[in-house]
């Protein structure tokens, strides 16, 4: 954990992306009417420097965020304060979540699993399941093994997930539904491919 903290503390010095991922925005707007958001607890799992925590808080949710990086959590706190927004923030690994059972209505995680690695995600999915309430939704976006970030230099040591790995992680869970999809975009005449798994589930 300490080694990963060092890596992601360094990465978060740049304060991460400025805008939330379009797929997160689409998912939230399609599934959570404005009238329901004040009663909806949402965890931004692996919040980094807080771009999605900020988005969730600004849209009226009860926002929570956690990350292994102290720098990322500090950046998230600063980002929220500058916008006069509030969220509950913690430094935590996804395989050791300090929340009560059945606590969240929604858990989102964007570009986190590839950074955590297979072993941590295999442990962490039990924690994610534990803190998600019955009927709660999960939305997870993370790199596959053919994503350009995995195939190119991969200086951060990211793990690209295979279909078999994804199925072994999510299918054993007792879920109302599980959708294993892909979000694929290409660049420079298809020289580079961004190839993410997009997981939607309901407990």
């Amino acid at each position: 954990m300490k080694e990963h903290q060092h890596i992601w503390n360094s990465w978060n010095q740049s304060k991460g992306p400025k805008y939330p991922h379009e797929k997160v925005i689409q998912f939230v707007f399609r599934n959570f009417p404005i009238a329901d958001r004040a009663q909806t607890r949402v965890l931004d799992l692996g919040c980094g420097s807080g771009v999605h925590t900020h988005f969730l808080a600004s849209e009226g949710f009860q926002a929570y965020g956690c990350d292994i990086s102290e720098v990322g959590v500090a950046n998230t706190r600063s980002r929220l304060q500058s916008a006069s927004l509030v969220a509950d923030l913690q430094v935590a690994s996804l395989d050791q979540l300090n929340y009560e059972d059945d606590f969240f209505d929604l858990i989102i995680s964007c570009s986190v699993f590839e950074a955590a690695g297979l072993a941590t995600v295999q442990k962490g999915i039990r924690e994610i399941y534990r803190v998600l309430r019955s009927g709660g939704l999960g939305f997870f976006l993370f790199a596959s093994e053919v994503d350009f970030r995995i195939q190119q230099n991969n200086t951060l040591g990211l793990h690209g997930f295979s279909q078999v790995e994804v199925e072994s992680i999510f299918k054993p869970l007792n879920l109302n539904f599980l959708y294993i999809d892909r979000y694929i975009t290409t660049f420079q005449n298809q020289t580079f491919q961004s190839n993410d798994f997009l997981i939607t589930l309901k407990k």
Side-chain angles (χ1 to χ4, degrees):
M1 181 173 176
K2 291 294 183 183
E3 179 185 355
H4 287 169
Q5 281 180 320
H6 172 74
I7 292 170
W8 297 109
N9 278 336
S10 177
W11 187 87
N12 276 291
Q13 294 292 342
S14 66
K15 299 189 178 180
K18 185 176 181 181
Y19 301 106
H21 197 290
E22 62 182 340
K23 302 307 290 185
V24 173
I25 296 172
Q26 289 172 0
F27 178 81
V28 166
F29 286 175
R30 287 171 179 169
N31 290 280
F32 293 93
I34 293 174
D36 296 342
R37 296 176 189 171
Q39 292 77 43
T40 303
R41 292 176 179 163
V42 185
L43 175 63
D44 182 8
L45 179 62
C47 64
S49 287
V51 64
H52 293 108
T53 311
H54 178 277
F55 165 69
L56 293 166
S58 69
E59 288 297 322
F61 291 93
Q62 295 181 41
Y64 294 72
C66 68
D67 198 275
I68 196 172
S69 167
E70 301 100 328
V71 174
V73 171
N75 288 344
T76 301
R77 185 170 288 109
S78 178
R79 188 193 293 258
L80 291 166
Q81 288 175 345
S82 67
S84 299
L85 295 170
V86 176
D88 184 292
L89 304 176
Q90 295 185 15
V91 176
S93 174
L94 67 86
D95 59 346
Q96 294 180 317
L97 299 178
N98 300 314
Y99 304 105
E100 298 174 6
D101 295 356
D102 308 310
F103 190 74
F104 291 107
D105 303 291
L106 169 63
I107 297 175
I108 68 164
S109 186
C110 189
S111 299
V112 174
F113 283 12
E114 63 265 53
L118 178 59
T120 300
V121 173
Q122 287 173 327
K123 295 177 183 176
I125 196 65
R126 294 192 289 271
E127 279 289 271
I128 291 167
Y129 186 85
R130 178 183 66 80
V131 301
L132 185 65
R133 71 166 178 82
S134 179
L137 298 177
F139 183 84
F140 309 93
L141 191 75
F142 53 92
S144 77
E145 79 277 26
V146 296
D147 187 274
F148 78 95
R149 292 166 291 177
I150 309 301
Q151 296 294 318
Q152 302 298 318
N153 294 329
N154 197 7
T155 56
L156 293 172
L158 304 176
H159 177 79
F161 287 79
S162 69
Q163 181 78 23
V164 170
E165 288 172 339
V166 170
E167 290 178 359
S168 72
I169 290 165
F170 287 98
K171 283 195 171 181
L173 302 177
N174 182 20
L175 299 170
N176 275 297
F177 67 70
L178 169 67
Y179 302 144
I180 300 176
D181 294 304
R182 299 263 186 151
Y183 179 60
I184 303 170
T185 54
T186 62
F187 310 93
Q188 298 180 22
N189 289 324
Q190 303 184 46
T191 303
F192 302 100
Q193 179 181 184
S194 175
N195 190 308
D196 287 303
F197 280 101
L198 195 161
I199 308 298
T200 311
L201 60 82
K202 182 177 182 179
K203 182 176 177 181

